[in-house]
Amino acid sequence: MGIIDMSTSQPLLHIDGLQKYFEESSNVLDIFSRKESTKIQAVDKISLTVEKNDSVAIIGESGCGKSTLLLTLIGLHEITGGDVLYRGRPLSKFDRNDWKEYRSKVQVIFQDPFNSLDPKMTVEESLKEPLEIHNIGDQRQKVRSILKDVELRPPEKYLKRKPANLSGGEKQRVSIGRALILEPDIILADEPVSMLDVSTQASVLKMLKRLVGEYDASMIYISHDLSTVSYIAEKVYVMYLGRFVESASTNQVLENPKHPYTKALVDAIPVPDPHYNRPRTVMSGAPRDPIDLGEGCRFRDRCPEVIAPDSIDIDQDAYREVMAFRERLERDELFVDRIRKSIEPDAEGQSLADAIRDEYFTMPLSGNNAATVDAALNEIAAGESEAAERRLRERFESVCEITPEYIEDKPGWHVACHRYYNIDSQHE
Amino acid sequence: MNNYDSLLEVKDLTIRYQTDRGDITAVSDASFQINEGEFFGLAGESGSGKSTTAKGIIGGLDQNGFIHDGSVRFRGKEIQDFTEAQLNDELRWKEISWIPQSSMNSLDPLQKVSEQAVEIGQVHTDFSEKELRQKIKEMFDVVGLSQSRVDDYPHQFSGGMQQRAVIALALFLEPSLVIADEPTTALDVIMQDQIFKYLDRVKEENSTSLLLITHDISVIFESCESVAIMHASQIAEKGSTKAIHDNPRHPYTFLFKEAFPDIREPDRDLEVIDGYPPELIGEVSACSFVDRCPWAVDECHEDAPALEHVGDADAGHAASCFRSDEAYELYKDRELAVQTPPPHGDH
Amino acid sequence: MSNLVPYDTFERIQMITDHHIFRNFAGGLRIMLNDRNTATYFWILVVVALLGLIGPAIAPYDIEETHYSPEGDILSAEPPSLAHPVGTTFAGYDVLSRLLVGARPTVITGILGGFLILTIGTSIGITAGYVGGRTETILMRFTDFAYGVPLIPFGIVLITFIGVGFISSVLVIGLILWRGGARVIRAQTLQVKQYPFVQVARATGASRTRIIVKHILPNVAPMAIFFLALGVGYAIMLQASLTFLGVASPFVPSWGVMIRNAFNSGYISEAWWWSLTPGLLIGVTVLSTFMFGRGYESLVTADGGTGEIDTVAA
C-alpha cells in the first residue's frame, strides 16, 4: 500500500536540490580541540528532471560526486537534504512497499565488468535473481529472451557459464541484460563501458542505446568521457565537486561550451589526427578535496578565467596564486611556524616574510599588487593575520568568491558562472 | 665503436607462453625500431600482444613466458638474453624504465617517495643520496608536483598524483627510453593531458624516447611520431602516425581507427569489428585477422603475410596484408555505396 | 503465463546438484585435487579419518589387554617387536592398538571442534560484517574479549565448571577458537559487501537475508573452509594439550592421553615408541589440516578472483 501513483502525469524522476553530505567522524583529539567535524559535500544542491524516454548524461571527473549521486538515487545512501521525486512522490517518504516498487522500476548498471556479477553465480542465476526478488514468473523464457536482446546468442551457450568464463564485454552485456529484465522505467548507468577497449565500447554503447529505446525506458548515463556521450544522450549535465556547472544539449556542449571547466574538458579530448595541433590543457593541479568547501565557485582555484577585480591589473596565474594564498590565510593553513623553523628558530620580520613568500608564490607581481602582498606578508610575520586578511581582501577579492547561481542563460542552457550573467546584479 | 641508428631495435621477435594447452604465441615475428627522442605508439586491443612485447623488452615476462626467437637491440647491443643481474646493472631505471598500468601497485606504501627513489637510485647507479634526492625533486617539478611533497607517503597523494609520482620515479634517473603501459587509461582527460604535457617537456629537454602502449589510438595519433598496430601477436601495420592516419593499408588499421570517436564529428557512426582476437598456439601460419576481416581471401588462411613497404612518402610505412594495395579503397567504396554499413557477411 | 511444466526425477536431481553450493564445492574439490601438494595433504587427512572410522576394528589387540612374556612377566615398555610392531606401554598394553583406537576420538574432536568453530565464527563474522553499526561493534568487542582469553588456563577453568569429559573438552575448544575465523570472515564480508554485484542486488530490492545467503556466504566460503581446516587442526592440538595437562578426560584413549600416560609413567624418554608415535601422528594430522586449508584457500580464490586491471575486448 504505497504512495506511488503510477497514473500521474508528473515527471518520471525529479531531483530537487539534492544534497548528500558525509561527516568525517571526528577523532578523540579533534573533540578536545573542539574542531567541528568536517563535512564532505559530495552532492550539493543537484536538480535535474527526467521525463519518459529521456536520455541524459552526467559528466564529471572522478571525485565530482557523480557516483555518490547515483548511489543516493538507488537508495544506498541516505539523503541529507533536498529530495528525489519518483512520479511525484518523494523518496524521503517511501515506505517498504514504495521502495520495492521503486527498486523494480529503477535499475542500475555499474562500470566494473569484473565485479558487477557474482563470481559464484551462473549467468542464468544472475539474470533470474531480479525476477525472483520480485516474484515474476516465466523466468526461463525471460532469461533466454534477454540474452538474445543483449546479443549473446545462442542463449544456451551462455546460461551455465560463470563470469570467469566471459570476456569483459560479455560480462557488461549480462549486466545490461540484468538491468533490463525487469523492464524498468529508468536505467542508471555508471560508466558502463569505460573499462572496455575503446573499440568495443562502440558496439556495447550502440546496443545499450537501442535497447533503452526498445524497452521504452529513460536513462541517466554517468561518465567522465565526453567523446562517447553524443552516442547515448541528448542532454549533458556537467558536474564539478558536487554541483552542476553547465547543462545543455550534447551538441551545444561539444561545439560551444560556456563554463570554463566544460571548455577545459572539451579542449582536453584527444583528437585522432596527427595533423591537428590541439594545444595541451592549460589546467594545472586537480580538483580540491570536497571537504568543508564553503562559499564561492568551487572551480575558482583552477579556473583559467577567474575574475579578478576590475580595479587591478594582474596576470591570471599570479592572481590564482594570490587567491590560493588568501584562502590558506583565512583557513589558518599557512604553517608559519614550520616555515620559521626551517630558516632559523627565531626568525622574524623581513626574513620570515620572504620565506613565506618563497613557499607560496612563484609568479612575479608588480606595482601595487606586489606592494600589497609585501605589506600583508609583513603583517603575517608579525602575527597580525587578521590585518593581512583584510588588506588582501580589500584589493584582491573576486566576485567568484560568491557562489554563482545555476541560471538559464538561454532556453535549455544552464550555466553557473559569473561570466555569464549581469555582473552588476551581483555587487551588493 | 657502436654503430647504431636507432635506440631500440626489435627484430623478428616471437614470444610464447607455456600453458597446459600448448605454447601460446603472444608475439609473432614483430619488428620495429624506436629512435632517440621519438614517441612510439604500440596500439591494439587487449590480447594483441602489445604488453607482452614491452615486457619482453625489459625482461618482465611472467614465469611461463619465453622469447622463442628474434632479437632486441638497445643502442646496438643485443639484450634479449640478458640475465636479471645484467638488466639491473645496465638497463633498468637508468636506461630503460617502466610505467605500469596501475600506479597504485608500484609505489611501496611503507616508504616515502623520496626513500623509494633513493633506494632505486642506489641499486642501479652510483649517485649519492643527496644527488638522488635532488633529482627526484627536480622531476617532481617537471610533472607538476610540489617539491616539498617528495617526502610524503603514497597514500597522501590522490590517484592522479600517484600516477604522476610513478612517472617521476620512472624519469628521475633520466633514462633514454620510457615504456609506459596504458599510463593514462584510468585517468580523466584533463589529467591525461597534463601528463602528456609533462612527457612532452621531458622529450624536449632530455630527448627521452617513449614506447607508449595503449588501446587508445587517439592518444597515439596526438602524441606519437610513429606507431605499430598489433592484432593477435602480429604487427598489422607500422609507420609514422601521419602516414598511417592518411593512408592506412591494413584492414585492421582502418577499422580500428574508425571505431574511435572523433569529437569533431560527433554524429559519425562508429565502426564495429566482429569477433575477438584469436588465441594462437604454436607457429602462426596465417593472418590472425582472417576470421574478422571482411576482405579475407584464401591466401590469408594459408600464410602469415610479411610486413611489406607500402611505397608511399614514409619509407618506414609497412603493412602485413596480401590485399594492402586495395583494401582501403574497397572499404571507402563500401562506405560510399551504402548509408549504413551492411551486416558483415559470413566468413 | 507461469512455467507449469513438471520436472521429472532426473531434472529434479539435476536441479539439486546444479545448485551452486554443490557446484562450488565439487568445483573446489576438483581444483584442489589437481594441485599435487594440496592433494597429498587431503589424502593424508582422508587416511586419518579412515583410521578414525575403522581403527578399532582393525586393532590387533584390545587396548586394555595386558601382554605377558612367555615367562609370565608383564611386557612392560617393550621396544617394537614382531608381536607388537610399535612396542608396549608401561602397563603392557599394545601401542599399535592404542594408536589405532586413539584415532577415533582425535578425529571426532577435530570434526566436532572444527565445525563448532566454523559455525560460530562464520555466523558472527558475517553478521558483524554485513549488518554493521552497533551490532558489529558489540560482536567485535565480544570477539576481542575472546581473543584476550588465554587458551589453556581458560580451558582448565571451564572444565572445572562443566566437568571433565570428552564432549565438554570439545565444547571448550569450540567456544574459544572461533575468534580467529570471526575476524577474518568479517573482513572478507566487508570486502564482498562493497562489490558492485552486492550493490546491484540491494538496488534491485534483495532482502538482507537473501544477500547474505546467496551472495556473501558463497563468496566467503573459501575462507571459511580454510578456517574450518585450521579449526580442525587447532582443535586436535588443543585437545592434546588439555589432555596432557590432565584436564581432559583420561578415559577416552586419544593420542593425547597416550602422551600423557607416557609422561606420567616416567618412561617418556626411554619408551620413545610410546610417546613419540602419538605425538608424530598428531603433528602430521595437524600439519595436514593447516597445509590443506592454505592450499585450498589460495587455489580457490585464484580461480574467479578479480583478475586483470587491463581493459578488455568484446
Side-chain angles (χ1 to χ4, degrees), chain B residues 200-215:
Chain B
D200 285 344
R201 198 189 299 180
V202 168
K203 175 174 36 170
E204 241 181 71
E205 291 181 10
N206 298 348
S207 277
T208 311
S209 303
L210 174 72
L211 173 57
L212 175 65
I213 299 162
T214 177
H215 67 279

Side-chain angles (χ1 to χ4, degrees), chain A residues 60-62 158 167 170 196-203 206 224 226-228 230-231 251 254-255 261 264-276 278-287 302 359, chain B residues 44-46 148 158 161 164 185 187-194 196-198 200 215-219 221-224 241-242 245-246 256 259-273 276:
Chain A
E61 291 169 296
S62 52
Y158 293 92
S167 71
E170 286 168 335
L196 305 176
D197 266 346
V198 176
S199 39
T200 313
Q201 289 184 18
S203 75
K206 277 189 189 180
H224 69 275
L226 259 176
S227 55
T228 42
S230 51
Y231 293 94
N251 281 337
L254 292 176
E255 281 167 33
Y261 175 64
L265 219 47
V266 173
D267 287 343
I269 298 175
V271 171
D273 184 346
H275 300 286
Y276 186 90
R278 180 181 67 83
R280 296 282 184 201
T281 185
V282 298
M283 296 268 288
S284 58
R302 300 167 77 199
E359 178 80 15
Chain B
E45 294 163 286
S46 49
S148 58
S158 70
M161 294 170 85
R164 281 189 274 167
T185 296
L187 303 176
D188 314 304
V189 281
I190 292 182
M191 186 89 47
Q192 175 174 274
D193 222 20
Q194 286 173 323
F196 275 101
K197 189 160 78 171
Y198 305 129
D200 285 344
H215 67 279
D216 190 349
I217 201 89
S218 314
V219 169
F221 274 152
E222 279 201 335
S223 313
C224 298
T241 39
K242 289 193 176 148
H245 174 268
D246 298 338
F256 187 68
F260 284 77
D262 185 340
I263 203 76
R264 299 170 299 177
E265 301 165 46
D267 298 319
R268 192 192 92 229
D269 205 15
L270 296 179
E271 194 62 62
V272 172
I273 312 177
Y276 319 116

Side-chain angles (χ1 to χ4, degrees), chain A residues 115 118 129 132 134 162 167 197, chain C residues 204 210 215 306 311-312 314:
Chain A
N115 289 322
D118 189 331
E129 187 170 27
E132 285 170 0
H134 292 275
K162 292 218 271 190
S167 71
D197 266 346
Chain C
T204 313
R210 188 190 178 89
H215 290 289
T306 51
T311 54
V312 280

Side-chain angles (χ1 to χ4, degrees), chain B residues 238-309:
Chain B
K238 64 175 182 182
S240 70
T241 39
K242 289 193 176 148
I244 300 243
H245 174 268
D246 298 338
N247 187 21
R249 291 281 110 207
H250 193 291
Y252 185 61
T253 308
F254 51 80
L255 289 176
F256 187 68
K257 185 165 81 83
E258 294 297 310
F260 284 77
D262 185 340
I263 203 76
R264 299 170 299 177
E265 301 165 46
D267 298 319
R268 192 192 92 229
D269 205 15
L270 296 179
E271 194 62 62
V272 172
I273 312 177
D274 283 342
Y276 319 116
E279 195 176 66
L280 300 158
I281 305 216
E283 188 84 26
V284 181
S285 53
C287 173
S288 64
F289 193 55
V290 70
D291 291 327
R292 309 171 76 190
C293 183
W295 299 279
V297 291
D298 287 335
E299 208 180 349
C300 308
H301 289 273
E302 291 153 20
D303 257 323
L307 271 170
E308 279 176 8
H309 288 281

Side-chain angles (χ1 to χ4, degrees), chain C residues 55-189:
Chain C
I58 62 173
Y61 304 102
D62 189 272
I63 55 170
E64 294 193 342
E65 183 187 326
T66 318
H67 296 278
Y68 298 92
S69 73
E71 291 84 39
D73 305 313
I74 296 179
L75 279 173
S76 173
E78 286 293 312
S81 62
L82 243 99
H84 305 279
V86 199
T88 61
T89 71
F90 184 65
Y93 302 146
D94 176 39
V95 173
L96 179 62
S97 306
R98 289 187 77 86
L99 282 177
L100 287 171
V101 171
R104 188 174 286 184
T106 311
V107 170
I108 295 179
T109 307
I111 295 181
L112 236 63
F115 268 98
L116 212 58
I117 294 172
L118 174 73
T119 36
I120 301 181
T122 307
S123 321
I124 293 190
I126 291 193
T127 314
Y130 192 75
V131 174
R134 222 169 345 139
T135 318
E136 179 181 13
T137 318
I138 295 176
L139 287 174
M140 281 300 114
R141 288 308 137 255
F142 187 50
T143 313
D144 289 342
F145 174 70
Y147 258 105
V149 172
L151 225 49
I152 297 196
F154 181 72
I156 297 175
V157 169
L158 207 58
I159 285 209
T160 50
F161 278 105
I162 60 180
V164 171
F166 180 63
I167 294 297
S168 41
S169 62
V170 174
L171 261 176
V172 163
I173 292 164
L175 287 178
I176 306 172
L177 289 183
W178 56 264
R179 54 200 195 179
R183 277 231 182 127
V184 173
I185 301 279
R186 167 182 163 266
Q188 277 247 303
T189 307

Side-chain angles (χ1 to χ4, degrees), chain A residues 120-127 159-162, chain C residues 23:
Chain A
K120 302 288 184 190
M121 285 168 75
T122 61
V123 167
E124 183 173 23
E125 285 164 353
S126 287
L127 289 173
L159 289 173
K160 301 289 179 208
R161 282 211 210 163
K162 292 218 271 190
Chain C
R23 217 186 34 232

Side-chain angles (χ1 to χ4, degrees), chain B residues 35 45 50 54 85 94 104 139 161 216 243 302 324 340 342:
Chain B
N35 301 321
E45 294 163 286
K50 52 195 201 300
K94 57 174 189 262
M104 281 56 81
M139 199 47 72
M161 294 170 85
D216 190 349
E302 291 153 20
S324 59
T340 52

